[in-house]
């Protein structure tokens, strides 16, 4: 089981395959001696790794709805109809992928005039978030529940951003300057709100990653070197964006202070070329973007490894703010 590349934290999985394929293989091969995972990152989609490794103790596939309900009962500490309904939707959308690897949202990748895409219904994911939030009176104090609220919500944000950028590309192609500017403002605001929500959960903090690297330094030079490498791995993965954004993640600090800057540069560039009726030069933009990226990697700015704000309270606030926007944009993205 691989499930992700570079530790990207998009919601993704193929539950049917994970639950049934190991048993089918064991029934066909008499020399199968075990199963394992070859993950490039494990701090995402935990249920997929749990389900895979649980197969070693299972004589036959379990009904997936039953497995999922047992999983969330263990994860949150009790049963809850809202939580079970939310996870039923997740099981049938993001964890029922028809593609072999996770979709990569535009939000966390270098800006370009590229439309977004999906393999599930965005509005269904919004319904899952709604149901998950309805369980907050029971589980609002549970850290794993808070983590899942942020995880589902940041995926909703990523999908909405993909819808916006898809419309943005269309507006650019139609020389619609007014719509281009309006959508740029929406995407900028979304990135800022996404960063705020991510900052309420410890598993989504850039500061944790950087501090873990810095603590290995024996002097200032080593601390700077380890910090640089930790930032480079998340972004350019090489001195000249050799595997750019391969390990991109929606983390607080990374969204609000790296991806946001790139998109602001992109929006400013697009508006500038449209104002003089010149075509957008992606190659020239990539050069300017790389300069911005490399400067950020070398900065010594400190990012907190402490959460800020209340996850549940902010999630309810942002859900009210964005619910209508998500519903208005369902159906914009093409399916993979």
């Amino acid at each position: 089981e691989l499930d992700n590349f570079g530790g990207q934290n998009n919601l993704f999985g193929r539950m049917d395959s994970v639950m049934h394929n190991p048993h089918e293989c064991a029934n066909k091969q008499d020399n199968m001696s075990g199963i394992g995972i070859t993950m490039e990152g494990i701090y995402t989609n935990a249920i997929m790794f749990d389900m895979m490794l649980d197969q070693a103790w299972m004589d036959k596939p379990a009904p997936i709805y039953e497995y999922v309900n047992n999983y969330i009962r263990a994860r949150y500490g009790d049963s809850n109809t809202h939580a079970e309904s939310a996870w039923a939707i997740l099981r049938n959308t993001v964890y029922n992928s028809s593609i072999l690897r996770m979709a990569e949202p535009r939000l966390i990748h270098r800006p370009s005039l590229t439309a977004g895409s999906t393999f599930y219904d965005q509005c269904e994911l919004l319904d899952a978030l709604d149901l998950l939030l309805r369980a907050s009176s029971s589980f609002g104090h549970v850290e794993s529940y808070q983590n899942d609220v942020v995880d589902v919500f940041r995926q909703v944000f990523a999908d909405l951003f993909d819808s916006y950028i898809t419309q943005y590309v269309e507006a650019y192609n139609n020389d619609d300057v007014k719509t281009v500017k309006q959508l740029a403002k929406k995407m900028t605001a979304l990135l800022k709100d996404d960063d705020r929500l991510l900052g309420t959960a410890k598993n989504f903090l850039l500061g944790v990653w950087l501090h873990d690297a810095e603590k290995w330094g024996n002097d200032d030079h080593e601390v700077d070197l380890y910090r640089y490498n930790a930032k480079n791995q998340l972004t350019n993965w090489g001195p000249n964006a050799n595997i750019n954004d391969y390990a991109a993640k929606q983390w607080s600090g990374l969204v609000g202070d790296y991806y946001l800057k790139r998109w602001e540069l992109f929006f400013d560039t697009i508006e500038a070329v449209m104002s003089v009726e010149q075509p957008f030069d992606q190659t020239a933009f990539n050069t300017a973007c790389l300069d911005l990226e490399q400067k950020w990697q070398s900065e010594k700015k400190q990012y907190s490894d402490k959460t800020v704000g209340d996850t549940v309270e902010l999630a309810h606030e942002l859900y009210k703010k964005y619910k209508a926007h998500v519903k208005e944009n369902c159906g914009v993205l093409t399916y993979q």
Side-chain angles (χ1 to χ4, degrees):
E1 171 71 358
L2 179 56
D3 198 67
N4 75 69
F5 296 86
Q8 290 194 21
N9 60 350
N10 311 310
L11 295 179
F12 173 81
R14 302 169 71 208
M15 284 189 175
D16 285 330
S17 296
V18 170
M19 181 62 77
H20 292 93
N21 287 1
H23 300 281
E24 292 179 6
C25 184
N27 291 333
K28 294 177 180 178
Q29 303 292 334
D30 58 9
N31 61 348
M32 181 176 173
S33 58
I35 59 174
I37 53 178
T38 58
M39 68 292 174
E40 291 190 2
I42 199 170
Y43 297 110
T44 176
N45 297 307
I47 191 171
M48 297 309 304
F49 297 116
D50 284 354
M51 181 180 288
M52 184 66 191
L53 295 177
D54 279 345
Q55 303 309 310
W57 286 269
M58 296 170 65
D59 295 327
K60 61 181 180 179
I64 293 181
Y65 75 90
E66 180 181 296
Y67 181 92
V68 172
N69 285 347
N70 289 335
Y71 174 86
I72 60 177
R73 187 181 305 116
R75 187 167 177 82
Y76 301 154
D78 201 354
S79 299
N80 181 280
T81 55
H82 292 310
E84 290 175 1
S85 297
W87 274 89
I89 294 174
L90 296 177
R91 177 263 177 277
N92 289 315
T93 52
V94 293
Y95 292 126
N96 187 35
S97 176
S98 58
I99 58 177
L100 293 178
R101 59 178 294 173
M102 64 176 59
E104 299 180 352
R106 299 296 308 132
L107 184 159
I108 58 176
H109 288 277
R110 183 180 281 173
S112 66
L113 290 169
T114 304
S117 61
T118 186
F119 63 88
Y120 55 85
D121 187 327
Q122 294 169 275
C123 276
E124 287 192 63
L125 191 61
L126 181 70
D127 291 339
L129 176 61
D130 175 79
L131 288 162
L132 199 58
L133 287 173
R134 290 174 186 268
S136 62
S137 58
S138 298
F139 303 133
H141 63 288
V142 179
E143 186 176 2
S144 55
Y145 167 81
Q146 296 168 9
N147 179 92
D148 292 349
V149 167
V150 173
D151 207 13
V152 174
F153 209 143
R154 56 131 214 93
Q155 189 74 36
V156 169
F157 272 141
D159 290 342
L160 181 56
F161 190 94
D162 274 358
S163 294
Y164 284 155
I165 194 61
T166 298
Q167 295 169 77
Y168 184 94
V169 172
E170 182 180 2
Y172 168 82
N173 290 333
N174 293 330
D175 296 321
D176 186 347
V177 176
K178 180 179 178 181
T179 300
V180 161
K181 290 183 177 181
Q182 289 174 340
L183 287 166
K185 289 182 179 179
K186 288 183 178 181
M187 285 185 276
T188 299
L190 184 153
L191 287 167
K192 292 178 180 178
D193 283 335
D194 188 21
D195 195 76
R196 286 175 60 208
L197 182 64
L198 294 165
T200 66
K202 197 171 185 65
N203 286 337
F204 298 92
L205 300 182
L206 172 63
V208 172
W209 172 265
L210 296 183
H211 290 181
D212 282 349
E214 292 170 342
K215 69 184 181 183
W216 292 98
N218 294 312
D219 53 41
D220 290 344
H221 172 72
E222 287 190 355
V223 169
D224 291 344
L225 177 63
Y226 294 148
R227 182 194 311 111
Y228 167 82
N229 278 304
K231 294 169 83 172
N232 180 266
Q233 193 268 351
L234 295 171
T235 54
N236 288 162
W237 199 319
N240 295 302
N242 303 67
I243 319 179
N244 197 45
D245 293 323
Y246 183 82
K249 296 174 180 65
Q250 273 180 269
W251 282 352
S252 180
L254 202 54
V255 171
D257 207 26
Y258 182 76
Y259 302 138
L260 176 60
K261 288 181 180 178
R262 294 200 305 191
W263 282 105
E264 287 177 334
L265 176 63
F266 177 75
F267 297 145
D268 290 344
T269 303
I270 291 293
E271 290 180 24
V273 298
M274 292 185 77
S275 69
V276 294
E277 299 182 349
Q278 293 294 315
F280 172 63
D281 187 336
Q282 184 70 55
T283 301
F285 174 78
N286 288 346
T287 300
C289 200
L290 178 60
D291 181 63
L292 181 153
E293 293 163 352
Q294 291 176 333
K295 287 180 179 177
W296 180 83
Q297 291 170 61
S298 298
E299 289 175 357
K300 297 182 180 181
K301 177 179 177 179
Q302 292 296 304
Y303 294 87
S304 177
D305 59 356
K306 301 294 189 297
T307 59
V308 176
D310 183 279
T311 296
V312 174
E313 182 179 327
L314 182 57
H316 278 287
E317 174 191 325
L318 293 176
Y319 178 77
K320 292 177 182 177
K321 178 178 179 179
Y322 283 95
K323 178 181 179 179
H325 295 279
V326 175
K327 287 184 176 295
E328 289 169 2
N329 286 276
C330 287
V332 169
L333 299 179
T334 57
Y335 281 79
Q336 294 184 343

